[in-house]
Amino acid sequence: MAKPNPERARAVERLADVGSDLLATPDVAMTRMFGSEALSVRGKMFAFASNAGDLVVKLSEQRVDELGLDNMVMRGRPMREWAVVPYDAGPERWRAILGEAHGFVDEITPA
């Protein structure tokens, strides 16, 4: 059995806390993706807690650049519309960027 990951566990806890208002809306749910808890809107993921304990969000490539965030890297390749928000950025920064990610994915996901 895999050993619990304390960094991811604290990130999942913070994700649930800063995402509580979004989770109260009808189209948002907590699901599992990439081996971690994730927030989705109408089945499309917009944020999850990484193994390293950071928040990973889906935003436009332009917005990722504007916010000065690093791209998530998967199999050695940067993912243009997925950005990493460090745990140390704090809960308010997580909450603000999480709201942006929800808005972005909500807009591009059919009802």
Side-chain angles (χ1 to χ4, degrees):
M1 183 171 187
K3 211 167 100 169
N5 179 332
E7 288 82 14
R8 182 169 56 186
R10 74 179 183 166
V12 167
E13 185 177 318
R14 180 183 283 175
L15 178 61
D17 179 50
V18 300
S20 62
D21 288 346
L22 292 171
L23 282 164
T25 62
D27 289 343
V28 175
M30 184 75 80
T31 58
R32 286 195 57 84
M33 184 66 80
F34 300 120
S36 184
E37 285 69 19
L39 290 177
S40 65
V41 58
R42 292 184 302 286
K44 297 293 183 182
M45 183 177 63
F46 64 90
F48 67 94
S50 75
N51 284 333
D54 299 317
L55 175 66
V56 179
V57 294
K58 183 171 180 78
L59 295 166
S60 72
E61 185 176 3
Q62 177 183 346
R63 190 63 180 140
V64 171
D65 291 342
E66 289 171 356
L67 291 168
L69 298 172
D70 291 331
N71 291 101
M72 176 182 86
V73 176
M74 184 178 282
R75 296 184 187 108
R77 184 175 154 237
M79 307 304 288
R80 293 186 331 243
E81 290 189 331
W82 287 96
V84 177
V85 184
Y87 186 85
D88 292 343
E92 292 310 311
R93 178 94 163 136
W94 273 36
R95 183 175 284 111
I97 294 175
L98 188 64
E100 284 195 44
H102 170 259
F104 175 68
V105 174
D106 185 40
E107 187 176 292
I108 63 173
T109 302

